[in-house]
Amino acid sequence: MIRAAILAFDECYASSVGGFADLLQVANAHLRRQQGTAAAQFAWRFVSPSGEAVVASNGLQLQTHRLDPRECYDLVFVPSLHYGGRRRFDRVLARQADACAWLVAQWHAGAWIAANCTGTFILAQTGLLDGRTATTTWWLERQFRARYPRVDLQLRPVITEAERLICAGASASYLLQAIRVIERFVGPAIASQAAKSMLIDVSQTSQIPYLPLLAERTHADSLVQRAQHWLQHNMARELRISELAAALAVSDRTLIRRFRAALEQTPLAYLQDLRLEAARALLETGDQRVDAIAAQVGYRDTSSFARLFRQRIGMSPGAYRGRFQINPAP
């Protein structure tokens, strides 16, 4: 029997908690079919520091068993938790001291630990990720790096694995994470069958196509705000930094300095991201040719546009459309 503990706590996502167990259940069905009832199967228990019922973020009440320091597991899953704002999130994390100590003890006893999405913050608080590779949900990157500077945070991969510590990106990636765990414990054949049964696309290995190029950074620099609006309205034209500076009645140097201070990038880098985001939207919602889209967002050379798109987004414009197009034509 492969003993698994699924950690539950108030504000966790019920889909993450229950969905991970569902995948283990599917794996068990394939194990029995392929290897008979004597095959080593997953057995799981929902646990919490108090052993009392916890309330998931959607209001669902989950019954749990109390953490027992004498009980050792082969696998521990830390689900994602709802982010209800920074202060609320900080309070939730502050309540996890007992869970963190238990996770450290389980890992030292030989358990694998899988943390999903915001659950990686809890795993990082244990110190186990210090000096090791990890990933998390892309939109909390800055918070994660500020809190845990010793963790080697990588946002390109959907899944990272380092010394029995498996981290995953945004919440729905628990599906891919569960498949990885199944593979590690019972082999690739059962993992592949479980993935196919649940229609899980295991080719999704990178978060890059999902990451926004234009980060939501708030600032109060009115000059930069005017520059952003000007670029948004003129992005299809061939532009030089001097033209933008002249339109705003400032020097090139002042514009670049203010832009870097407010957005941590140059105006031309911002323009490039602006164009690529516009191209992504057109690929997702329309059926224009790639060369027409390139021209519409300011690129006269289609091959240069395609090369830049692949470099920044991680796939060609055609492949991006094939994966993300909304209501594609039959």
Side-chain angles (χ1 to χ4, degrees):
M1 200 65 78
I2 303 164
R3 305 192 68 225
I6 298 175
L7 190 61
F9 37 81
D10 290 336
E11 303 287 337
C12 66
Y13 278 119
S15 58
S16 180
V17 173
F20 191 86
D22 290 343
L23 262 295
L24 299 184
Q25 187 176 42
V26 170
N28 281 350
H30 287 291
L31 282 165
R32 290 192 297 270
R33 187 175 297 112
Q34 296 292 320
Q35 302 173 20
T37 55
Q41 298 178 44
F42 293 97
W44 56 91
R45 172 177 281 185
F46 300 101
V47 299
S48 69
S50 68
E52 299 175 354
V54 302
V55 180
S57 62
N58 62 2
L60 185 66
Q61 193 173 79
L62 305 169
Q63 299 300 318
T64 67
H65 295 271
R66 186 171 185 173
L67 298 180
D68 185 345
R70 299 166 300 178
E71 217 166 3
C72 294
Y73 293 90
D74 303 298
L75 165 67
V76 178
F77 177 63
V78 184
S80 53
L81 60 148
H82 178 65
Y83 185 85
R86 187 157 191 163
R87 289 184 179 179
R88 185 173 178 178
F89 188 62
D90 288 347
R91 288 196 297 269
V92 173
L93 292 177
R95 296 197 295 265
Q96 307 308 320
D98 290 343
C100 287
W102 179 79
L103 287 169
V104 171
Q106 290 294 318
W107 185 79
H108 282 299
W112 287 67
I113 300 178
N116 172 245
C117 187
T118 43
T120 56
F121 281 72
I122 294 175
L123 182 55
Q125 286 199 164
T126 66
L128 292 174
L129 290 177
D130 288 355
R132 297 186 171 98
T133 302
T135 193
T136 190
T137 183
W138 58 265
W139 56 276
L140 287 176
E141 174 190 6
R142 293 165 71 87
Q143 278 199 42
F144 192 98
R145 290 191 189 280
R147 273 180 168 272
Y148 314 111
R150 298 180 63 186
V151 179
D152 179 18
L153 182 66
Q154 301 290 329
L155 288 187
R156 178 174 290 272
V158 176
I159 305 288
T160 60
E161 180 179 327
E163 300 180 61
R164 293 183 283 110
L165 300 169
I166 301 178
C167 298
S171 185
S173 62
Y174 76 81
L175 295 166
L176 292 166
Q177 191 174 27
I179 296 300
R180 172 70 68 87
V181 166
I182 292 166
E183 180 184 359
R184 290 292 177 264
F185 278 91
V186 297
I190 297 298
S192 177
Q193 291 167 3
K196 290 175 180 176
S197 299
M198 303 292 281
L199 293 181
I200 298 171
D201 181 8
V202 294
S203 69
Q204 181 186 332
T205 59
S206 174
Q207 295 189 74
I208 297 301
Y210 300 86
L211 305 186
L213 297 175
L214 296 172
E216 294 184 6
R217 294 192 179 98
T218 57
H219 64 86
D221 191 320
S222 60
L223 173 67
V224 175
Q225 290 172 352
R226 286 162 51 211
Q228 288 177 277
H229 292 150
W230 194 92
L231 290 171
Q232 289 164 8
H233 287 96
N234 293 276
M235 69 174 175
R237 296 169 44 197
E238 290 189 22
L239 297 173
R240 293 183 178 179
I241 190 68
S242 57
E243 183 181 359
L244 173 59
L248 298 172
V250 296
S251 68
D252 294 8
R253 180 177 297 181
T254 295
L255 177 61
I256 293 172
R257 176 176 56 80
R258 297 271 289 271
F259 225 91
R260 283 188 183 279
L263 298 176
E264 299 181 4
Q265 62 180 161
T266 67
L268 290 181
Y270 177 84
L271 175 61
Q272 184 183 83
D273 290 347
L274 193 65
R275 286 171 166 170
L276 290 176
E277 284 289 16
R280 291 212 293 195
L282 291 170
L283 289 166
E284 292 167 6
T285 59
D287 56 3
Q288 296 181 71
R289 290 161 49 99
V290 172
D291 56 352
I293 290 176
Q296 189 171 334
V297 300
Y299 292 98
R300 303 294 175 258
D301 185 343
T302 304
S303 61
S304 296
F305 164 74
R307 185 167 55 251
L308 177 63
F309 192 96
R310 181 186 289 275
Q311 177 186 338
R312 296 297 307 281
I313 309 300
M315 59 178 64
S316 70
Y320 184 88
R321 168 176 276 162
R323 172 167 287 188
F324 295 104
Q325 187 177 28
I326 300 169
N327 298 321

